[in-house]
């Protein structure tokens, strides 16, 4: 408990940042539809734009996540958190000012560019921060609490969006995002593997303590060299069978999550004419169920059930959710599917904890960055599959009448992740290997 108390400033930082980024989700669909296809409930262009943006962001984060994680192992988690938390403010400020078509496309462009760095990086660095400060046996619970904090921010943000106008939603989000960055810089202490002290800033040469005067490229060269090569990432995946299995689960589960993200809002709007407030209510129920599970049930279950089994249970919940959603026959059915969120929220913390235990303390950033990069790669592929599929089966040109067919296909991806998780066996943490080796020596 003392270790968790020491993470209080990190939890506040994650809460504020997540609140700002998540509270705009219920409003962004209406803003997109109004800017691209005013007066329509179904718009293929909006679906394609959303899917294209998701794919481009994923392409950028495939490179940036391992780089950011690797850099944080060298220069500290707080130093690297500053960049995404600052950049994430810019797109919110644009829509806080105006939501006309011109400003929407400016937001769309800058959101795409900044999200290549921001998307997932705050979560990746927060996980590495927790791994630095929490013992291995407590990490599943700690990761679950961190996810619960983010879910609580989602609940609060969605609730705020439910009662705020669209303009006010983006204005509040921009202000809270600024507050999160300032809070983090003032209160969060730096964290490095093994409690090492930061010895030099990022943009300094490794050969001496003076800045180079021959241009920015010489200062950036050491940073660019920190990008893990394909061989390094492959070596990390091969270093542990359990880690590679976790990577496969992360990939297919993220295929499913990305498909749901690309499809669900447009599916609900076209199928049941969901408004912004109805969608906010649905997200609120999902958030409350997930928050209760992560903050109340999960810390207790981790003491009784192996994290590999909790992972499989969470994936089963995802399969059931997709199957029921795909055949929704009334507008109350999507609300009923929120019961599966109690189990689905087990997946991210269990997956991250399993991966964390397979590497040493000086590689936590690299490991979390590797998993985040795989997740990002999956989210490149996912919208390329599900956005056209959703647009096709919601249109009049569908080969057969099944509006939820794309949601059903999402369930198939989760099934593959589930079967892989069943094959996963608990492996002793990397520290155990080191202790055994030292005793044998």
């Amino acid at each position: 408990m003392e270790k968790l108390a020491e993470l209080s400033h990190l939890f506040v930082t994650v809460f504020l940042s997540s609140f700002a980024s998540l509270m705009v989700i219920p409003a962004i669909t209406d803003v997109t539809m109004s800017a691209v296809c005013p007066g329509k409930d179904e718009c293929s262009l909006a679906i394609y734009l959303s899917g294209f943006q998701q794919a481009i962001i994923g392409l950028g984060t495939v490179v940036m996540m391992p780089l950011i994680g690797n850099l944080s192992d060298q220069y500290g988690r707080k130093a690297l958190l500053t960049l995404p938390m600052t950049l994430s403010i810019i797109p919110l400020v644009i829509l806080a000012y105006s939501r006309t078509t011109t400003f929407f496309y400016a937001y769309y462009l800058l959101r795409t560019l900044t999200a290549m760095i921001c998307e997932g990086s705050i979560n990746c660095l927060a996980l590495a921060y927790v791994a630095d400060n929490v013992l291995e046996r407590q990490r599943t619970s700690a990761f679950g609490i961190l996810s619960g904090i983010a879910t609580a921010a989602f609940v609060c943000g969605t609730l705020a969006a439910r009662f705020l106008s669209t303009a006010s939603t983006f204005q509040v989000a921009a202000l809270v995002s600024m507050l999160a960055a300032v809070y983090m810089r003032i209160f969060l202490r730096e964290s490095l593997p093994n409690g090492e002290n930061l010895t030099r800033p990022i943009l300094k040469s490794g050969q001496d303590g003076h800045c180079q005067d021959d241009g920015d490229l010489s200062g950036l060269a050491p940073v660019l060299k920190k990008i893990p090569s394909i061989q390094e990432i492959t070596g990390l995946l091969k270093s542990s069978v359990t880690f590679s299995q976790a990577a496969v689960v992360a990939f297919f589960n993220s295929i499913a999550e990305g498909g749901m993200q690309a499809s669900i809002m447009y599916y609900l709007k076209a199928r049941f004419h969901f408004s912004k407030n109805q969608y906010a209510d649905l997200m609120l129920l999902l958030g409350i169920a997930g928050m209760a599970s992560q903050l109340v049930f999960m810390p207790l279950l981790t003491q009784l059930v192996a994290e590999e089994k909790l992972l499989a249970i969470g994936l089963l919940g995802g399969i059931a959710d997709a199957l029921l959603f795909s055949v929704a026959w009334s507008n109350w059915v999507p609300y009923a599917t929120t019961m599966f969120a109690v189990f689905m929220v087990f997946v991210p913390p269990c997956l991250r904890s399993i991966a964390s235990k397979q590497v040493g303390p000086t590689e936590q950033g690299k490991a979390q960055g590797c998993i985040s990069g795989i997740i990002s790669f999956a989210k490149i592929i996912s919208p390329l599959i599900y956005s056209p599929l959703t647009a096709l089966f919601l249109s009049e040109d569908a080969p057969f009448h099944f509006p939820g067919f794309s949601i059903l296909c999402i369930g198939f991806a989760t099934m593959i992740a589930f079967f892989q998780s069943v094959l996963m066996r608990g492996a002793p943490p990397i520290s155990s290997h080191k202790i055994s080796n030292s005793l044998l020596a």
Side-chain angles (χ1 to χ4, degrees):
M1 291 301 293
E2 291 180 3
K3 285 290 185 181
L4 294 178
E6 291 175 4
L7 299 174
S8 58
H9 292 309
L10 176 69
F11 291 154
V12 173
T13 298
V14 170
F15 179 86
L16 292 174
S17 176
S18 300
F19 179 90
S21 62
L22 296 173
M23 73 177 297
V24 302
I25 291 177
I28 195 63
T29 303
D30 286 344
V31 171
T32 303
M33 295 287 286
S34 298
V36 177
C37 301
K40 295 183 179 180
D41 285 335
E42 190 276 322
C43 178
S44 296
L45 178 58
I47 297 174
Y48 284 122
L49 281 174
S50 177
F52 176 76
Q53 183 184 54
Q54 190 176 332
I56 294 298
I57 291 171
L59 185 62
T61 52
V62 164
V63 177
M64 294 306 301
M65 288 303 99
L67 171 61
I68 289 173
N70 201 18
L71 285 172
S72 74
D73 286 335
Q74 304 293 323
Y75 302 104
R77 317 304 183 195
K78 179 178 178 178
L80 269 295
L81 271 170
T82 304
L83 181 61
M85 293 191 69
T86 303
L87 289 177
S88 63
I89 298 170
I90 301 171
L92 295 174
V93 169
I94 293 173
L95 287 188
Y97 181 76
S98 178
R99 288 148 305 284
T100 61
T101 301
T102 302
F103 280 91
F104 168 77
Y105 280 111
Y107 159 84
Y108 182 87
L109 176 62
L110 287 173
R111 158 71 180 160
T112 303
L113 294 175
T114 58
M116 290 181 184
I117 298 174
C118 304
E119 190 87 4
S121 59
I122 296 173
N123 183 54
C124 170
L125 293 169
L127 289 164
Y129 192 105
V130 170
D132 291 341
N133 293 277
V134 175
L135 297 175
E136 287 176 346
R137 65 177 181 272
Q138 298 176 321
R139 281 183 194 164
T140 305
S141 295
F143 287 164
I145 291 171
L146 181 65
S147 296
I149 296 294
T151 306
F154 174 73
V155 170
C156 295
T158 304
L159 190 60
R162 181 69 175 79
F163 298 103
L164 292 172
S165 66
T166 300
S168 298
T169 298
F170 285 98
Q171 290 164 1
V172 171
L175 288 172
V176 174
S177 186
M178 295 176 194
L179 177 61
V182 172
Y183 182 94
M184 183 272 297
R185 289 303 306 170
I186 294 174
F187 295 106
L188 187 68
R189 66 177 179 83
E190 185 57 274
S191 176
L192 281 167
N194 295 328
E196 297 171 2
N197 293 320
L198 186 63
T199 56
R200 56 192 175 95
I202 293 177
L203 296 180
K204 279 207 175 180
S205 170
Q207 297 177 352
D208 56 59
H210 301 284
C211 292
Q212 299 290 332
D213 295 324
D214 54 351
D216 292 335
L217 291 177
S218 62
L220 285 172
V223 177
L224 297 178
K225 289 179 181 178
K226 297 296 182 183
I227 299 177
S229 65
I230 298 297
Q231 290 78 11
E232 289 177 313
I233 293 174
T234 303
L236 182 61
L237 292 172
K238 289 181 177 179
S239 65
S240 165
V241 174
T242 303
F243 189 90
S244 61
Q245 289 175 325
V248 173
V249 174
F251 178 79
F252 284 102
N253 184 62
S254 298
I255 287 279
E257 285 184 350
M260 194 67 81
Q261 183 180 342
S263 308
I264 193 65
M265 293 184 288
Y266 301 102
Y267 170 75
L268 291 172
K269 197 168 185 66
R271 185 86 169 86
F272 301 114
H273 306 288
F274 261 43
S275 66
K276 168 199 164 185
N277 287 341
Q278 286 176 303
Y279 185 71
D281 291 340
L282 177 62
M283 294 299 102
L284 187 62
L285 286 174
L286 280 170
I288 291 171
M291 179 178 65
S293 180
Q294 288 171 322
L295 295 179
V296 179
F297 301 124
M298 194 169 180
L300 299 175
L301 288 173
T302 54
Q303 308 299 319
L304 304 172
V305 183
E307 55 197 5
E308 291 81 12
K309 291 182 180 179
L310 284 178
L311 175 63
I313 291 170
L315 292 167
L316 269 179
I319 294 169
D321 176 69
L323 292 178
L324 184 57
F325 227 120
S326 68
V327 296
W329 58 91
S330 178
N331 59 3
W332 63 265
V333 177
Y335 295 102
T337 62
T338 58
M339 63 183 172
F340 298 116
V342 173
F343 308 104
M344 291 162 61
V345 294
F346 294 164
V347 176
C350 289
L351 198 57
R352 296 290 190 161
S353 178
I354 291 168
S356 172
K357 292 176 181 178
Q358 302 310 307
V359 298
T362 60
E363 296 179 313
Q364 290 298 322
K366 183 186 291 186
Q368 298 299 340
C370 180
I371 295 295
S372 295
I374 290 168
I375 290 171
S376 298
F377 180 66
K379 289 186 177 179
I380 297 172
I381 299 171
S382 188
L384 300 179
I385 299 170
Y386 292 111
S387 291
L389 202 60
T390 302
L392 175 62
F393 278 88
L394 291 179
S395 71
E396 296 178 355
D397 299 324
F400 51 89
H401 182 71
F402 192 169
F405 183 74
S406 62
I407 311 296
L408 179 65
C409 293
I410 288 169
F412 294 150
T414 312
M415 285 181 190
I416 297 173
F418 169 73
F419 290 134
Q420 179 62 70
S421 72
V422 171
L423 298 175
M424 190 181 293
R425 294 290 181 268
I430 194 71
S431 59
S432 298
H433 294 303
K434 291 181 177 178
I435 292 170
S436 299
N437 291 337
S438 65
L439 290 173
L440 289 172

